[in-house]
Amino acid sequence: MAFSRATLFTGLVATSALVLAGCTGGSDDDAADGGAESYSIGINQLVQHPALDAATAGFKEAFSDAGVEVEFNEQNANGEQATALTIAQQFAADDLDLTLAVATPAAQAMAQNIINIPLLFTAVTDPVSAELVDSMEAPGANVTGTSDAAPIDEQLELLKEIVPGAERVGIVYASGEVNSQVQVDQAEEAAGPLDLEIVTQTVTTVNEIQQAVEALGDVDAIYVPTDNMVVSGIASLVQVAETKQIPVIAAEEGTVEGGAVATLGIDYTELGRQTGEMALRILRDGEDPATMPVETATEFTYVVNEAAAERQGVTIPEDVLAEAERK
């Protein structure tokens, strides 16, 4: 592969200067009077699946690790954009110090409504394309956070290593997710040098996943991006893949736990914790989201599922196994 496995990928972690502008809630007065720090934070998570659950858990752990007391109002939109919007509208009316959106559609719903308090996002692949920020370096308003952009080039290289004869790679993704279209575009660009052809099918509901996988036709492997709808219904995709003996390579660890063969992916707990540390800088240090660059993941790790590989008819190379976490 085109990189050394001895050194994990390190993303560029953006840092910004301390800005003592007013982006905090009234809780600072308590701290100034010598009382314990205490904040109120609303969390709008698009849907329940391992990656997003891990990101939310990591966010909360950052406050626990810092010894900061927080009252969390956690809401789950169950994959429904209308519900995410309703949650956002409720948060806008609540007396909160800060809000968190988990996944792109939830972040878009929140950004439409949360304008007077800091809004952080996590598990958003391309916040510029999603129109959440002006740029990665200078978000420009009350919104910033962390991107889960995956190393798609290297993930397709891993696919080729596990399935050396692969020529056609199928991708099923939700037509309504901006971050998914971004990843498909990146996969198509990365596929050329690897002599791969990308074949796609889109879905609008989880119930369409199985039919979409069948409609991919004669593909040699399936790549699953960080698409919230598909990942939440991964069992349907894996069922078809196992029946047809098509290896599945994923963009993140939770999908491997759900039955994909392998990934070089992001640790979503750490990404969430990274987002929580940004929130602490806003709440405790007075940093301004408008000038806090969007941060990216700092590490990627191999994760493999040997049982899934056996069910899908492939063998994971020994050099990958030697450095991988096993699920």
Side-chain angles (χ1 to χ4, degrees), residues 8-9 148-151 154-155 158 223 226 250-254 256 262-268 297-303 325:
L8 295 178
F9 279 81
D148 65 349
E154 290 77 16
Q155 289 172 343
L158 176 63
Y223 173 71
T226 56
E252 54 85 29
E253 177 179 343
V256 176
T263 188
L264 175 68
I266 291 170
D267 184 329
Y268 275 83
T298 58
E299 286 190 343
F300 303 98
T301 57
Y302 285 106
V303 182
E325 297 179 29

Side-chain angles (χ1 to χ4, degrees), residues 11 15 26-27 74 92 98 105 136 145 155 188 196-197 217 242 248 263 267-268 279 281 303 309 318:
T15 58
S27 303
E74 293 184 65
L98 181 141
M136 297 287 281
Q155 289 172 343
E188 289 175 340
L196 293 173
E197 176 189 358
E242 291 179 356
V248 179
T263 188
D267 184 329
Y268 275 83
R281 301 206 311 268
V303 182
E318 287 297 327

Side-chain angles (χ1 to χ4, degrees), residues 64-178:
S64 178
D65 293 345
V68 175
E69 182 180 343
V70 177
E71 180 181 351
F72 291 106
N73 182 352
E74 293 184 65
Q75 300 293 326
N76 193 297
N78 297 312
E80 297 293 335
Q81 186 67 19
T83 305
L85 187 60
T86 299
I87 294 168
Q89 291 167 342
Q90 181 59 58
F91 283 169
D94 291 344
D95 184 19
L96 299 170
D97 294 299
L98 181 141
T99 54
L100 172 71
V102 186
T104 301
Q108 290 172 319
M110 294 279 275
Q112 293 175 29
N113 292 276
I114 307 296
I115 58 176
N116 295 321
I117 59 173
L119 166 60
L120 289 178
F121 56 77
T122 190
V124 170
T125 301
D126 188 342
V128 177
S129 294
E131 299 183 347
L132 296 171
V133 297
D134 292 340
S135 71
M136 297 287 281
E137 296 77 18
N142 66 315
V143 184
T144 189
T146 57
S147 165
D148 65 349
I152 292 176
D153 291 26
E154 290 77 16
Q155 289 172 343
L156 291 184
E157 289 180 16
L158 176 63
L159 184 152
K160 283 284 284 190
E161 190 165 356
I162 292 175
V163 193
E167 295 180 355
R168 289 166 52 87
V169 176
I171 300 178
V172 174
Y173 69 101
S175 58
E177 281 207 41
V178 174

